[in-house]
Amino acid sequence: MATEKPNTVATIGPHRCGAGEPLLLIAGPCVIQTEALTLSIAESLAAMSQRLSVPVVFKASFDKANRTSSGAYRGPGQDEGLRILEKVRDATGLPVTTDVHESHQAAAVGQACDVLQVPAFLARQTDLLIACAATGRPVNVKKGQFMAPGDMKHVVGKLVEGGCRDVLLCERGTFFGYGRLVNDFRAIPEMQALGVPVVYDATHSVQEPGGLGGATGGRREMVEPLARAAVAVGVNAVFLETHPNPDDSPSDGPNMVPLDKLPALVERLLAIRQAAGV
């Protein structure tokens, strides 16, 4: 481990995430489809942020490099995707984030986005983590579905050694046999004990990998029960993918929350957090 330590409260644009700070919401569609749709979703999230006084970071991927099938839609690509994300930030004021799959993408993503996200399958990729750390941006790393919470200390160590102090770790489920994920909510306080804020990815936790044959399935109805549990345990942020018509989304539709249902869900999560006193 590095001699330096990560910040216990991470700064993401105008927002702070960690103990004693408001619950942060990371939300948006799984993948960028069109500029108009992406902006429309972001505007809805910005309005919700204002109405509920909940800090929001907008998330959408420019390239879903880990799709089940090679023929599946991946996104508009790096240049166009980052242009759209920058437009989202300019138009709505929301900080933005996106996935980084390869080391050479990190610098450009760091210029366009307020926080970089490392997918779960890539959580152990040292060169990728170091490249993300070198951007000077906060980095959110999803815990590998194959990793124990305590093993994420090495992820934190790599990022801190690379110069990143604003580290977030994300719980998104653990493989339970084939085609199913389960959550061990002990992972939240165990990763918080590493000295970093923890995010709960409620939508990817309900995935059924390869469940649709050539695509990933999921159980959308389980998103809220799991998110409620994570908030009650004391998670610092919740990640929720959303879309106006999830069943029409080219990626992760079965897991996403319908956009018109999201504000009421977030209100219930905020009420649980207040009742839990965390």
Side-chain angles (χ1 to χ4, degrees):
M1 289 289 290
T3 56
E4 296 288 335
K5 293 183 179 180
N7 294 327
T8 56
V9 175
T11 299
I12 302 172
H15 305 322
R16 287 166 57 84
C17 180
E21 301 295 334
L23 183 70
L24 179 72
L25 180 66
I26 303 173
C30 179
V31 66
I32 296 171
Q33 291 177 249
T34 67
E35 179 178 319
L37 178 60
T38 305
L39 284 168
S40 175
I41 295 171
E43 288 165 357
S44 294
L45 293 173
M48 182 189 71
S49 175
Q50 290 291 322
R51 184 171 70 82
L52 299 181
S53 297
V54 59
V56 174
V57 175
F58 181 82
K59 178 270 169 186
S61 297
F62 62 79
D63 179 18
K64 300 300 294 184
N66 55 352
R67 296 302 307 274
T68 303
S69 169
S70 61
Y73 176 73
R74 290 178 51 163
Q78 178 177 306
D79 292 346
E80 176 67 2
L82 293 181
R83 183 192 67 79
I84 291 172
L85 287 171
E86 288 183 308
K87 190 165 185 178
V88 164
R89 182 172 55 197
D90 292 343
T92 66
L94 296 178
V96 296
T97 187
T98 195
D99 292 312
V100 182
H101 287 93
E102 299 185 60
S103 300
H104 67 80
Q105 297 173 335
V109 174
Q111 290 181 349
C113 295
D114 299 272
V115 55
L116 285 68
Q117 180 170 284
V118 176
F121 287 129
L122 302 176
R124 290 171 54 95
Q125 296 299 105
T126 301
D127 290 346
L128 178 61
L129 295 172
I130 295 301
C132 289
T135 66
R137 294 291 196 181
V139 181
N140 176 31
V141 184
K142 295 192 176 185
K143 180 180 74 64
Q145 303 94 325
F146 46 87
M147 295 175 67
D151 290 340
M152 294 297 284
K153 67 183 179 183
H154 303 296
V155 171
V156 175
K158 291 173 184 179
L159 287 169
V160 172
E161 288 168 7
C164 179
R165 301 289 295 279
D166 286 329
V167 177
L168 300 96
L169 299 181
C170 183
E171 161 62 22
R172 52 93 72 235
T174 301
F175 287 134
F176 187 71
Y178 297 122
R180 187 175 180 187
L181 300 168
V182 297
N183 288 112
D184 178 356
F185 286 100
R186 294 176 297 182
I188 292 171
E190 287 176 2
M191 290 195 292
Q192 287 172 330
L194 300 176
V196 298
V198 172
V199 182
Y200 179 66
D201 183 345
T203 40
H204 288 99
S205 287
V206 304
Q207 279 185 334
E208 295 178 345
L212 298 180
T216 292
R219 298 185 61 190
R220 186 181 305 140
E221 71 277 10
M222 299 308 299
V223 169
E224 181 167 348
L226 293 176
R228 288 184 176 202
V231 171
V233 167
V235 79
N236 306 111
V238 176
F239 180 106
L240 291 163
E241 287 188 336
T242 186
H243 190 282
N245 300 292
D247 291 336
D248 292 334
S249 171
S251 177
D252 271 354
N255 316 309
M256 285 199 282
V257 177
L259 185 60
D260 63 350
K261 305 287 187 186
L262 187 66
L265 188 161
V266 172
E267 285 190 86
R268 292 190 288 272
L269 295 182
L270 293 174
I272 291 170
R273 193 170 200 260
Q274 183 175 15
V278 295

